[in-house]
Amino acid sequence: RRVCLRRRRRLPCASPISRFPPLVGSTQTLSLEEMPTAAFLPSLLLLLADRSYATPTTIKLGLEWFLNPDHLPLVVALREGYFAEAGLDVQLLEPADHWEAEEEILAGRLDVAVTETLHLAQDAARGKPVIGFSRFLHTDGGVLFLGSSNISRPSDMCGRTISYPGSPGIGGPAIVQTMVEADGGSCDIASYGKHNGGFYHVKALQDKAAAVATLVFYNFEVIEAQQMGLRPGFFSLKEWGVPDFCQLVLFTTPQRLQALRPQLRQLVLAMRRATGLIKREPARAARIYEQHVKGSAAAAGTTNRSALAKVGAALSGAAAMVNPVAAMRRRKERKLEAAIFDATLAALPNDNSLSGAYFQGLMAWLVKTGQVDAQVGPELLPEGYWTNDIAL
């Protein structure tokens, strides 16, 4: 989801030793007689070390798409004050359209951004200054089709039209062709039709613009199709020879990684803490997310997709008061939102690391399918664009 998906800071409670005069930014001067005695020096040192008395480090974090439940650990850590307690002022920024996040980081407009492992490896192979450091979502990705398509196994997809973002590039056919071959099929890769329906996968299939859609997230499009009664079928990447790349990670540039290493460690720990809350108290997490979406749209006055969706929901809610059809539509929307939220909970990993072997396999597939230069990919070591030093 390389194209577009789209704060309140809460300080920790006052320290028990806050009876002392403020030491940061204070204009008051103490005489020697007024200075704390040796008995109080340990408390004084704790005060000086307390991050709540220091200026927080701003982290401008760019999302890869409009704000959605995939970003739950970020939202919960922000709203619950976990970032603030770690001395961070994290700003979640949605792209207005498409952006090359590493260029935004180099220009100083972002510090960190969200991407998928697939795009991280591709960017590294193109020589871009990128390094990933923490995974926070691992969903089941793959190919979606409807019951009316006469497809029952991967080899049935040979020569069919594929809907995928980035069409007419090679990515969509590379995924489908790998699955066909894993199922024992033989197919000319040039035989596939190509349709660019963006991320409106279900619509492309409904409109019969394509027979299959790929770069699909199970917790979104498959759930959507199920809720619409479309009898969706799904082939998982991991089950049919394609590297399991539907994983969201945080990345930055090597320069920003070195400059912000301690702060990025705190960022990861705060998100890990938030993931724990989400799994233990999903109903509470749902309320936090809803409050954040409503607050962000109201405060920012943005015209992004998430804000427009909420405006539309408000209008449909008002219409439902006098229109039973609108009321039914809104009930269906709420049911879909709840189903997507529930499906996303299972996609939040406790382990933020990724192995070098995983990236080696991903890069080998990219080279084999012609998505990465065969002269560059094999020579590119995973440690050049991924580190576990911060996640572990």
Side-chain angles (χ1 to χ4, degrees), residues 19 28 38 61 81 87 115 165 176 185 206 210 215 255 270 277 327 345-346 364 372 391:
R19 63 180 178 272
Q28 182 176 357
L61 195 154
T115 192
V176 174
Q206 271 189 300
L215 295 177
Q255 293 78 9
L277 183 151
L345 298 181
V372 161

Side-chain angles (χ1 to χ4, degrees), residues 47-277:
L47 176 64
L48 291 170
D50 189 347
R51 281 191 295 265
S52 68
Y53 284 82
T55 302
T57 299
T58 297
I59 301 289
K60 291 172 287 186
L61 195 154
L63 305 180
E64 86 295 353
W65 205 25
F66 63 82
L67 184 68
N68 70 89
D70 285 352
H71 305 122
L72 263 173
L74 290 163
V75 170
V76 171
L78 184 65
R79 299 289 295 195
E80 289 298 287
Y82 298 163
F83 288 144
E85 290 175 21
L88 304 176
D89 174 20
V90 176
Q91 301 172 7
L92 303 183
L93 305 175
E94 298 180 18
D97 190 9
H98 174 72
W99 61 14
E100 296 294 338
E102 80 287 344
E103 294 179 6
E104 297 294 311
I105 295 172
L106 289 170
R109 291 186 288 270
L110 292 177
D111 298 295
V112 175
V114 176
T115 192
E116 291 180 40
T117 53
L118 173 70
H119 303 313
L120 182 71
Q122 289 173 325
D123 285 345
R126 295 182 183 116
K128 294 186 176 182
V130 295
I131 185 160
F133 60 88
S134 182
R135 172 185 64 161
F136 68 90
L137 181 117
H138 184 177
T139 189
D140 199 0
V143 173
L144 173 69
F145 57 95
L146 302 184
S148 58
S149 65
N150 295 319
I151 293 174
S152 60
R153 56 185 308 113
S155 56
D156 294 336
M157 298 188 291
C158 178
R160 306 296 290 272
T161 297
I162 311 166
S163 180
Y164 61 103
S167 174
I170 194 174
I175 294 169
V176 174
Q177 179 76 352
T178 299
M179 290 185 168
V180 168
E181 292 176 353
D183 191 33
S186 178
C187 194
D188 181 356
I189 197 167
S191 68
Y192 296 101
K194 301 173 183 178
H195 171 70
N196 193 339
F199 286 104
Y200 296 98
H201 301 299
V202 176
K203 185 178 187 302
L205 300 184
Q206 271 189 300
D207 294 346
K208 301 189 183 302
V212 300
T214 192
L215 295 177
V216 164
F217 275 21
Y218 187 93
N219 62 311
F220 272 89
E221 287 83 16
V222 178
I223 298 299
E224 178 186 4
Q226 288 174 347
Q227 292 292 314
M228 296 173 70
L230 297 177
R231 297 186 299 116
F234 179 74
F235 298 135
S236 177
L237 300 178
K238 65 183 185 297
E239 296 171 11
W240 296 101
V242 183
D244 190 8
F245 57 70
C246 287
Q247 307 188 48
L248 294 185
V249 299
L250 299 178
F251 82 99
T252 185
T253 62
Q255 293 78 9
R256 294 305 287 160
L257 182 75
Q258 292 305 315
L260 293 170
R261 185 176 289 270
Q263 290 82 6
L264 296 182
R265 173 62 175 170
Q266 292 302 317
L267 178 79
V268 171
L269 291 178
M271 291 176 65
R272 191 176 298 169
R273 182 181 174 189
T275 298
L277 183 151

Side-chain angles (χ1 to χ4, degrees), residues 297-345:
T302 58
T303 57
N304 59 42
R305 288 177 62 184
S306 59
L308 288 175
K310 290 302 171 183
V311 171
L315 291 174
S316 64
M321 297 176 65
V322 295
N323 186 338
V325 176
M328 181 180 295
R329 182 171 63 248
R330 184 57 189 142
R331 284 195 295 271
K332 289 182 178 180
E333 289 172 354
R334 289 189 177 277
K335 185 179 179 182
L336 173 59
E337 290 168 0
I340 288 174
F341 187 92
D342 290 343
T344 302
L345 298 181

